[in-house]
Amino acid sequence: MRPERVDRVATIIILTLTGLVGIILLALLAYLLLSGIPHISWHFLTSSAESFKSGGGIRDQLFNSLYLVVLTLLVSIPLALCAAIYLSEYAPDNKWTNFLRLAIEVLSSLPSVVVGLFGYLVFVLQWGLDFSLLAGALALTILNLPILTRACEDALRQVPYLQRQAGLGLGMSKWRVTTKIVLPAALPGIITGAILSAGRIFGEAAALIYTAGQSSPAISYTDWNPFSPTSFLNPMRPAETLAVHIWKVNSEGLVPDARAVSNGSVAVLILTILIFNLLARYIGYLIKRRLAK
């Protein structure tokens, strides 16, 4: 068989399999959205969940998920950025650096259940944080840190080396070149990676079952004191997130409209993650345009 024909056949096979995977994913996404969007309403988004009667919503679970994302990013972004700066700008190419990158890769492949059990043993029991948003944020930091570190390192490495040489040639220190030249140029990629990682941790459930808890106490959205037990800003309170709520409703839900609540919650979860992805691309595009001027 001629090489041209082999190449054509291989291309057709690859495109067919790729299209098949795409069709399966789109069909699954369409099924989940079409099943859930009819159950989404303003009452569903702004009312509290019910334990035994129908008509409940996901107000607290949705807020807990968003608040947990903010707490996780507040912890993981500084750590990931410092690690990325070290690996990209300062670390020599030796066995220690290779081992560090290998450890990051291994950490990124850990199952979320394992991270959740580790968080339960360390953050909940040993550190005495109990089931809380803070314990959940620390557990999600373990899951988020490898992905965010790699995203930040890739963004820093995409900055042309000539820009670094120009800064050093002007007498700037290594740290000043990194903070004044490299970081601003890599900012679109760093922000995009942070928002994409936020979308990933927004849908996490297994790690939070053992750390953030499976129930949400009564909270007040008018209490702005983060040290108050009833404040919505209190990071030490247990909190059921949207993904955990979906799992709980499907596994042990006693409400008559459990299927409707589950489908609506899944649709909200998918749409929120989609918004995270679109927002990441849009913000990265705006920053890139602004830096190009």
Side-chain angles (χ1 to χ4, degrees), residues 38 99 202:
F99 173 77
F202 182 83

Side-chain angles (χ1 to χ4, degrees), residues 22-288:
I23 291 173
I24 294 174
L25 292 177
L26 289 176
L28 178 61
L29 186 63
Y31 171 76
L32 294 175
L33 291 177
L34 292 176
S35 301
I37 288 179
H39 303 289
I40 300 176
S41 63
W42 182 249
H43 174 78
F44 182 72
L45 295 175
T46 58
S47 62
S48 58
E50 296 289 349
S51 300
F52 301 104
K53 62 180 182 178
S54 60
I58 56 170
R59 177 193 62 192
D60 298 336
Q61 288 76 15
L62 183 59
F63 173 78
N64 291 336
S65 296
L66 295 173
Y67 190 32
L68 190 61
V69 167
V70 173
L71 290 177
T72 304
L73 292 181
L74 287 177
V75 177
S76 59
I77 287 179
L79 296 176
L81 191 57
C82 291
I85 290 175
Y86 170 74
L87 291 173
S88 174
E89 306 298 321
Y90 291 94
D93 188 11
N94 53 26
K95 293 182 178 180
W96 161 248
T97 306
N98 294 332
F99 173 77
L100 189 59
R101 288 194 173 92
L102 177 63
I104 293 175
E105 293 291 338
V106 172
L107 191 61
S108 64
S109 62
L110 282 178
S112 56
V113 175
V114 175
V115 176
L117 291 174
F118 173 83
Y120 175 73
L121 292 174
V122 177
F123 305 137
V124 176
L125 297 182
Q126 294 294 328
W127 292 13
L129 297 178
D130 297 325
F131 291 109
S132 62
L133 282 164
L134 183 58
L138 293 176
L140 289 183
T141 297
I142 298 176
L143 287 174
N144 192 39
L145 197 58
I147 300 172
L148 193 54
T149 300
R150 178 54 59 89
C152 293
E153 184 183 0
D154 291 341
L156 292 171
R157 288 185 177 275
Q158 288 177 4
V159 179
Y161 188 70
L162 289 177
Q163 295 187 19
R164 297 174 174 83
Q165 287 183 321
L168 294 173
L170 293 174
M172 299 173 66
S173 63
K174 178 75 171 178
W175 176 249
R176 192 169 180 83
V177 169
T178 302
T179 56
K180 299 299 182 180
I181 297 178
V182 179
L183 273 180
L187 192 59
I190 294 174
I191 293 178
T192 300
I195 298 177
L196 291 176
S197 66
R200 180 187 181 276
I201 61 180
F202 182 83
E204 185 57 52
L208 299 177
I209 294 174
Y210 304 101
T211 52
Q214 305 178 35
S215 61
S216 295
I219 57 176
S220 172
Y221 289 94
T222 59
D223 187 357
W224 291 83
N225 181 11
F227 300 101
S228 173
T230 59
S231 173
F232 68 105
L233 294 177
N234 185 4
M236 301 306 298
R237 61 178 176 87
E240 181 187 43
T241 62
L242 187 58
V244 175
H245 183 63
I246 295 171
W247 169 80
K248 191 174 180 180
V249 168
N250 282 282
S251 60
E252 54 188 58
L254 300 177
V255 292
D257 59 344
R259 186 63 180 271
V261 172
S262 175
N263 290 340
S265 301
V266 169
V268 172
L269 183 67
I270 293 175
L271 291 175
T272 306
I273 294 175
L274 181 62
I275 290 173
F276 275 127
N277 284 267
L278 295 177
L279 187 64
R281 296 179 183 275
Y282 182 67
I283 291 178
Y285 170 74
L286 289 181
I287 295 178
K288 188 175 294 185

